[in-house]
Amino acid sequence: MPVLFSALLPPDDVVGEIAAALGGPDDGLRWEPPERWHVTLAYYGQDDVGTRTAWLGERLAGRGGVDVRLEKAATFPGVLWLTVAGPELTPLAHAAGAGAEPRPYRAHLTLARFPREEPGLAARWTSQLAGFTSRRWRATEVALMTSEREPGGPRYRVARVFALDRA
């Protein structure tokens, strides 16, 4: 069974804004490529795609789109990420199952990873991206994603898309 999670995928122009703000990073962090950038709503672990599709479809039925914006960088131990702002985002994440996870939901978009014992590696980037703000966009769909381990890092694929249809 594949590893599954649900996510919002940023539009291409927002991905471009992030890439432009980063420039050409080459400082020892393990950068996530733009094709893997996403905002996780909920992580499910190994699960059956059909079963999770039915469950998630019921949980998201009748939900409307959400306004989202990416903002300044921050860190978790070993992770450099962008803050995700949007008042409707956390309720959507909880509907998608985020409340079942042991830690509180914190919307973010992972940019890079670094050794936990070297938190200073990300300091330049939290400073450089302190004023970053993307344009606000309306997320009108949730993607159920699969994650497969590959030599160059995980490979994410969209298994199913759920429209957020209520205005």
Side-chain angles (χ1 to χ4, degrees), residues 25-79:
D26 62 354
D27 54 5
L29 277 69
R30 292 185 322 271
W31 292 92
E32 288 293 321
E35 62 270 15
R36 289 202 302 242
W37 290 345
H38 65 276
V39 178
T40 300
L41 295 175
Y43 176 78
Y44 310 116
Q46 287 191 325
D47 200 357
D48 176 73
V49 172
T51 302
R52 185 57 63 178
T53 294
W55 179 88
L56 192 55
E58 287 178 17
R59 302 288 303 252
L60 298 177
R63 290 202 164 265
V66 296
D67 290 327
V68 181
R69 183 180 65 235
L70 301 171
E71 298 179 338
K72 65 183 187 249
T75 60
F76 295 134
V79 180

Side-chain angles (χ1 to χ4, degrees), residues 39-40 72 74 76 81 83-84 90 103-109:
V39 178
T40 300
K72 65 183 187 249
F76 295 134
W81 48 277
T83 302
V84 183
T90 297
R103 59 181 177 236
Y105 180 70
R106 180 86 185 241
H108 67 282
L109 183 144

